Amino acid sequence: MSPRACLVHGDLSARNVLCDPESGEVTGLVDWEFAHAGHPVEDLGKLVRKGPGLPFVDATITAMTPWLPAPERASVDELRERARAADLYWIIEVASRRGESPATYRAFDLLKRLAASGRLLGDLG
């Protein structure tokens, strides 16, 4: 990973993307409460976890690739794996606050399932 940082949305999903209804072009992003300095693949983590195999996910990865520094560009499959690894940080952080909200319980349960599977990048569904 690159030592540089950029603005990471922190909650990127299809529901937070605004699109022009005629062209389908992205016109904006909403819900920036989890924004932070980080690496761009962090924003792909939730997408890969929530929508593996969806065309929106692969299209987002493909669209992001040219914006990555040349040494960090990779295939969609490789970037998907990097995103899954980056997403583990989010899962662990949220799970560590279990009891604060329903999301913390869901993250804790997901983390338990991952640990039980013996595969940290196993099925995150």
Side-chain angles (χ1 to χ4, degrees), residues 15-80:
R15 72 171 185 255
N16 290 333
V17 177
L18 302 176
C19 295
D20 179 285
E22 301 293 320
S23 68
E25 184 176 330
V26 173
T27 59
L29 298 174
V30 296
D31 193 10
W32 286 87
E33 68 188 82
F34 296 111
H36 62 279
H39 192 277
V41 298
E42 290 181 49
D43 270 336
L44 299 175
K46 181 177 181 179
L47 289 177
V48 170
R49 177 171 32 91
K50 294 287 192 175
L54 292 178
F56 177 78
V57 175
D58 287 350
T60 303
I61 294 171
T62 300
M64 176 186 274
T65 301
W67 295 94
L68 293 172
E72 295 180 34
R73 293 181 192 148
S75 69
V76 169
D77 289 338
E78 174 65 24
L79 289 173
R80 189 181 297 113

Side-chain angles (χ1 to χ4, degrees), residues 49 91 106-114 123-125:
R49 177 171 32 91
I91 295 167
R106 288 191 302 273
F108 185 80
D109 289 342
L110 176 57
L111 190 57
K112 283 193 322 186
R113 287 197 321 270
L114 286 171
D123 180 17
L124 296 175

Side-chain angles (χ1 to χ4, degrees), residues 87-98 107 111 120:
D87 194 44
L88 282 173
Y89 288 106
W90 178 89
I91 295 167
I92 292 167
E93 194 279 323
V94 175
S96 73
R97 295 183 280 125
R98 183 175 60 154
L111 190 57
L120 289 179

